[in-house]
Amino acid sequence: MASQYRHMFVVMGPAGCGKSTVAEVIASSLQVPCLDGDEYHPPSNIQKMSNGISLTDHDRWDWLILLRRTALQQLCPPSSFHSIVLSCSALKEKYRDVLRVAALENPHVLVHFIYLHADVSVLEKRVGARQGHYMKGGMVRAQLEALERPSGREVERDTVVVDVAGSRERVVGETLGLVGGIMGEY
């Protein structure tokens, strides 16, 4: 019997944690769409980040709402997708709450967060190795300062944590196992 629920998996964390890579692997495994949050930033946000300026809450609200609405549009009928995967920094609990509203807008949608965690040295190394991305290495520390790590109530409710300091294969395997467990619950 098919589940009555549709799932929004939000792969979250600071720059360099592997959000886009992990989200693409999950989406490919589930054969569902993947939305890369970076592609939905307005030009003004991209310009700020390119210049090493951190985004404010005000800069993020419309972007987060657009991501939520776009994900819901792709999940709701006439769509036949049972899930969607979204990569988005979702650094603060209130940003995650904006995405959680999807479940209030459609009670058949369940929102799950996959927090990709790594030490600052790992993140800075990865961001420093990027070619052609607007997010520069100096932004990692600013994102970590803004980060409200999911804990307590969030982890109990809808968030899993994956340490991404290991090999890509281990991270992908662990994440796919967690996603499979979540899907199996519903």
Side-chain angles (χ1 to χ4, degrees), residues 24-186:
E24 289 168 8
V25 169
I26 295 169
S28 177
S29 175
L30 296 176
Q31 298 181 334
V32 299
C34 182
L35 301 177
D36 187 334
D38 286 347
E39 295 176 9
Y40 290 84
H41 275 295
S44 58
N45 284 5
I46 292 171
Q47 183 174 357
K48 283 179 92 167
M49 290 184 285
S50 295
N51 292 322
I53 301 169
S54 298
L55 299 180
T56 65
D57 291 349
H58 179 76
D59 294 325
R60 293 180 185 273
W61 295 132
D62 289 341
W63 171 68
L64 290 163
I65 292 167
L66 174 64
L67 289 175
R68 183 185 72 227
R69 287 182 178 156
T70 302
L72 279 172
Q73 286 171 350
Q74 292 199 28
L75 273 177
C76 296
S79 168
S80 61
F81 294 113
H82 59 81
S83 300
I84 191 161
V85 182
L86 168 64
S87 64
C88 170
S89 56
L91 297 173
K92 297 182 180 182
E93 185 174 4
K94 61 186 172 183
Y95 301 162
R96 296 187 288 275
D97 288 343
V98 170
L99 298 171
R100 285 184 178 105
V101 169
L104 298 174
E105 292 178 356
N106 184 328
H108 296 287
V109 171
L110 300 175
V111 181
H112 315 278
F113 293 89
I114 301 167
Y115 168 45
L116 304 182
H117 167 75
D119 291 330
V120 65
S121 60
V122 171
L123 299 172
E124 286 179 333
K125 181 178 177 183
R126 289 179 179 179
V127 172
R130 286 181 177 171
Q131 299 294 318
H133 195 280
Y134 58 81
M135 184 67 79
K136 306 299 182 227
M139 295 296 294
V140 171
R141 289 191 187 269
Q143 284 202 335
L144 288 174
E145 287 173 14
L147 177 64
E148 296 172 2
R149 288 177 174 78
S151 62
R153 180 181 62 85
E154 281 191 288
V155 173
E156 292 170 8
R157 180 174 56 177
D158 61 11
T159 305
V160 295
V161 179
V162 177
D163 184 340
V164 296
S167 71
R168 180 177 186 232
E169 293 75 22
R170 187 201 57 77
V171 170
V172 165
E174 181 180 347
T175 304
L176 290 175
L178 290 166
V179 168
I182 292 167
M183 298 290 289
E185 289 181 33
Y186 302 96

